[in-house]
Amino acid sequence: MSTELESTRRALRDAVAQAERAAELARLLDAAQARLAEAEQRAEEAKALAEQLSETEERLAAEQAAADKLRKELAEQRFQAEVANWKLSSIKVARWNRLGDAIKSGKSNPVRLAKGLKGAAKPVKRPSAPKRKPVATANKPKDERPGAAFQATTSTRTLGGAQFKLKPFRVPTGPNTRPHLTAAVIADPHAEALLRYEWRQTTGFTPRDFARVLPLEVPHLLVVESVTQGPWAEEIIGEPGEGLRSLLAWCAERGIRTVFWHTKGDVSAYAQAADLFEHRFTADLTVAWPRLQFGVQPRVHNPLPLSGGRIDRVLTLDQLLPDHLAYPDVLTSYRWPAAADCPPGTPQWRLAEIAACGTPIGTEADSRRAHVALRRAYAMGTMSERIDEMLDAIGLPSARPTLNTSVLLPIVDPYTMEHALAQVARQSGVDQLILIGPPEAELRARDVLPDVEVIHRRPAPSMTVGAMLNAGIDLCEADLVAVMDPRDVYGPHYLSDLRRAFLFSTADIVGKAAFYAHLRKPQATLLKQPEAEYDHLPEIAGGTLLARRNALRELGFADLTEGWDEVLMRQCRTDGVKVFSADRFGYVRVRDEDRWLLGAAQLVEYGSAEPHALI
């Protein structure tokens, strides 16, 4: 009897503890939902204010343009009046006119006639011709924002006579991949835009002022592209100019390495100038110099969307890229159409840039095909990887931050161990596995992951998933830390796709707010928040978390098994930690049933989710 009573008491205590925990979770959920609703409301208000500000700025610009036009017209009328007065004054002082006046006034008086003719014979200074004066325009405040000089300037596009107003893509100012390295660069706008994020870059100097500009920040190397316009073009085409020779001599005196990069044009036109450089590279496969091709630049070639979204049309390359566009405007155009129909013969670098911006190439808007093309564009090589090749070849250090990854894998249910280890084994770029689970998991992990450092810890029986993650975070050594859920499915490109987001976003945490899910009992495949791709959002799914190690250490994990990710996201919002949602592919959340998910996601089909998610 006493044993039954004790069992009943223990059951009651467990029930009370579970009820208290459920109440705490409910409170946390209510608080998170309230904060989320408040954040969404503020985001909508900020969006509305931004649109009003944009419209006001457009009206102000139009009024200033009209006022400037009126000023020019008034200045032209005043100039023409001055010209008319000048012509009249010139006629009056002309000798033949003064002779005529003297004869007319002295025809009845010989003495007056003689005096008049004598006076008319003397030379008289003609009045000076008027000159056009510069027209004063409305004082426009100088844009002091960093990088304002290389932002988009054309916000309208014309298709079939119709005009479309775009919100230009904001070209980022950084960060730089190698802030310890300074390069003096002579390049056309396209190459300059790709290189500016790879180092501290000095540009804009000319053959006349380089000796004054470059000593202000002595560069480690000089990179000269085969430019076709600007003050340096005549220095490097044909016979090398004195300005180029002086620049190279200045670099030689200071031990500055010099690189000539042939990217376009007949190499013979640049051969004499190229011979003066220490190192030569070419993008032309027919030239017998070391190869250095263009690569995608993640800072500007990325799937971050325009704020106004895409137009629901497939555009040809001529429609997409009119001749008058500057390169910052080209970056806006890349993101505009539903798809880009590119003709045969389109340069490979152009196709890679379009694909890297998430735009499908072809006659149909296919998001799956666009994602695969984006992945391939990055796999062909980024500018960071190209510059690594250059620096290694010329003997400068190519050190830069890495995307090395440690995986945190907490295994609560031993039956999920084989499945969980198989998901980690599918990933590339895993340097370390922090495995917290049953003792048999260690040997199995070493068999499945022979090339990965495995650190195993056996959890205490009462440890929650959050406590396991807290115990594992201090063991992580890589720059990035991924948390993987042993119940879920991860495609072979899951981690490589997620890591890519750190190349173009400044977020500390990356994951998925848009994802596929599969519920076993109803055999339903769902899609959660399909619109939540490539955006900074209040939260992402915990099973997709990839974070910078130091940021995750400072945040820590709540001592919970279910809901630790919600608490973490709430802490991110409180501390101002940026959270970025990547694409929807490469991951499937698997549960037996989930009523909340059923109510918050759209039904895709009854069947497996993997054909939809794993591409």
Side-chain angles (χ1 to χ4, degrees):
M1 184 68 179
S2 60
T3 303
E4 294 179 358
L5 181 60
E6 182 62 27
S7 297
T8 302
R9 288 175 178 171
R10 188 181 302 111
L12 285 173
R13 284 197 299 271
D14 292 343
V16 170
Q18 291 292 339
E20 290 176 349
R21 180 170 295 179
E24 174 63 13
L25 285 175
R27 186 186 66 77
L28 293 174
L29 178 61
D30 290 342
Q33 289 176 337
R35 287 183 176 274
L36 177 61
E38 182 182 357
E40 290 175 347
Q41 181 180 357
R42 290 181 178 176
E44 289 295 328
E45 292 174 354
K47 183 178 179 180
L49 289 173
E51 291 177 353
Q52 292 176 7
L53 178 60
S54 177
E55 293 174 358
T56 303
E57 289 176 344
E58 290 175 4
R59 288 197 299 269
L60 178 59
E63 291 174 359
Q64 288 178 341
D68 290 342
K69 183 179 179 181
L70 289 175
R71 289 190 186 92
K72 290 180 181 178
E73 292 176 354
L74 179 59
E76 182 63 21
Q77 290 176 4
R78 286 175 175 169
F79 174 71
Q80 294 300 335
E82 291 176 357
V83 169
N85 289 331
W86 169 73
K87 289 180 178 179
L88 179 60
S89 300
S90 298
I91 290 173
K92 286 181 178 180
V93 300
R95 180 174 296 178
W96 60 267
N97 187 65
R98 288 184 287 118
L99 287 172
D101 290 344
I103 293 172
K104 182 178 179 181
S105 61
K107 62 181 179 179
S108 58
N109 189 333
V111 176
R112 183 181 296 173
L113 177 61
K115 290 181 179 179
L117 293 174
K118 185 178 180 180
K122 295 179 180 179
V124 177
K125 185 178 180 181
R126 284 176 173 265
S128 299
K131 296 181 180 180
R132 277 192 171 89
K133 299 176 182 178
V135 180
T137 58
N139 292 328
K140 297 179 181 179
K142 184 179 179 181
D143 194 343
E144 299 291 347
R145 292 176 299 176
F150 51 83
Q151 294 301 324
T153 57
T154 302
S155 59
T156 58
R157 301 290 187 275
T158 303
L159 290 177
Q163 283 198 337
F164 297 84
K165 188 74 172 178
L166 306 184
K167 293 185 178 179
F169 170 70
R170 174 70 183 172
V171 179
T173 59
N176 291 337
T177 303
R178 304 171 188 83
H180 62 279
L181 196 64
T182 301
V185 174
I186 298 171
D188 284 338
H190 179 207
E192 183 182 319
L194 303 187
L195 294 172
R196 70 164 61 99
Y197 303 99
E198 298 305 322
W199 41 43
R200 299 169 64 200
Q201 186 157 290
T202 300
T203 59
F205 53 92
T206 69
R208 295 184 300 276
D209 65 7
F210 75 85
R212 175 179 57 83
V213 175
L214 295 185
L216 299 178
E217 190 170 3
V218 179
H220 298 90
L221 75 160
L222 168 72
V223 178
V224 178
E225 188 200 10
S226 51
V227 295
T228 57
Q229 56 188 357
W232 288 101
E234 60 184 23
E235 296 283 334
I236 65 174
I237 297 176
E239 179 69 25
E242 287 302 317
L244 178 65
R245 294 179 185 275
S246 299
L247 173 61
L248 294 176
W250 185 89
C251 292
E253 291 174 0
R254 291 157 179 81
I256 298 171
R257 290 170 172 81
T258 58
V259 174
F260 183 82
W261 187 19
H262 171 243
T263 60
K264 54 186 172 296
D266 186 352
V267 70
S268 62
Y270 302 97
Q272 295 184 59
D275 285 341
L276 303 177
F277 288 77
E278 294 177 280
H279 305 276
R280 288 164 292 280
F281 297 90
T282 182
D284 190 339
L285 298 178
T286 65
V287 179
W289 292 349
R291 300 284 181 268
L292 186 64
Q293 306 285 350
F294 281 138
V296 296
Q297 175 51 261
R299 302 289 193 273
V300 295
H301 303 139
N302 55 60
L304 293 176
L306 298 180
S307 59
R310 295 182 180 270
I311 185 175
D312 189 21
R313 292 176 62 175
V314 177
L315 303 183
T316 66
L317 197 60
D318 290 338
Q319 292 172 322
L320 184 66
L321 303 173
D323 291 338
H324 66 278
L325 292 183
Y327 194 67
D329 299 301
V330 168
L331 297 174
T332 297
S333 288
Y334 281 163
R335 294 165 164 79
W336 184 40
D341 186 8
C342 300
T346 302
Q348 191 63 41
W349 63 263
R350 178 75 77 186
L351 295 174
E353 288 186 0
I354 295 173
C357 291
T359 299
I361 297 176
T363 57
E364 296 180 0
D366 186 331
S367 60
R368 290 166 56 84
R369 192 155 50 86
H371 184 73
V372 173
L374 182 152
R375 185 185 292 154
R376 288 174 179 167
Y378 273 81
M380 290 170 59
T382 65
M383 281 305 297
S384 294
E385 293 166 336
R386 298 285 189 255
I387 298 305
D388 284 347
E389 298 170 9
M390 174 199 286
L391 296 175
D392 289 341
I394 68 176
L396 284 177
S398 58
R400 57 186 173 91
T402 70
L403 296 178
N404 296 339
T405 306
S406 296
V407 172
L408 272 175
L409 185 63
I411 297 178
V412 177
D413 185 352
Y415 291 103
T416 64
M417 179 185 72
E418 289 291 340
H419 171 80
L421 292 176
Q423 304 309 303
V424 179
R426 301 170 77 176
Q427 308 305 314
S428 61
V430 176
D431 298 277
Q432 185 186 43
L433 172 64
I434 309 301
L435 178 60
I436 304 175
E440 62 270 20
E442 181 178 7
L443 291 178
R444 185 59 183 145
R446 297 189 189 280
D447 289 339
V448 174
L449 300 162
D451 299 325
V452 175
E453 178 190 3
V454 176
I455 297 179
H456 174 262
R457 293 291 184 272
R458 185 174 180 178
S462 60
M463 286 183 75
T464 63
V465 170
M468 292 181 184
L469 295 175
N470 260 334
I473 186 64
D474 289 334
L475 301 174
C476 295
E477 297 178 353
D479 295 329
L480 301 179
V481 175
V483 175
M484 295 178 67
D485 192 312
R487 298 169 293 181
D488 296 338
V489 174
Y490 298 84
H493 300 285
Y494 164 75
L495 272 181
S496 58
D497 282 350
L498 266 192
R499 280 194 296 263
R500 189 182 307 121
F502 284 101
L503 298 177
F504 56 79
S505 77
T506 56
D508 291 311
I509 294 179
V510 171
K512 296 179 186 290
F515 58 85
Y516 288 92
H518 182 72
L519 304 182
R520 292 194 185 97
K521 286 189 176 180
Q523 283 295 302
T525 290
L526 309 171
L527 177 56
K528 173 80 183 303
Q529 297 187 122
E531 72 287 350
E533 293 182 294
Y534 301 118
D535 198 4
H536 289 88
L537 295 174
E539 59 184 71
I540 48 92
T544 68
L545 185 142
L546 180 65
R548 300 188 189 277
R549 181 188 59 189
N550 292 338
L552 204 55
R553 278 179 172 171
E554 292 180 5
L555 290 165
F557 297 92
D559 188 7
L560 299 168
T561 292
E562 297 293 338
W564 62 264
D565 51 345
E566 297 174 9
V567 177
L568 179 65
M569 292 297 103
R570 183 177 66 178
Q571 191 63 43
C572 289
R573 294 192 292 273
T574 301
D575 295 350
V577 176
K578 290 184 179 180
V579 177
F580 184 80
S581 172
D583 59 89
R584 73 182 72 174
F585 300 109
Y587 165 77
V588 180
R589 180 173 181 173
V590 180
R591 299 291 184 271
D592 288 334
E593 58 183 353
D594 190 323
R595 293 182 180 179
W596 174 81
L597 195 58
L598 275 173
Q602 64 185 48
L603 178 66
V604 176
E605 69 168 0
Y606 287 99
S608 174
E610 294 188 17
H612 299 278
L614 307 188
I615 59 174

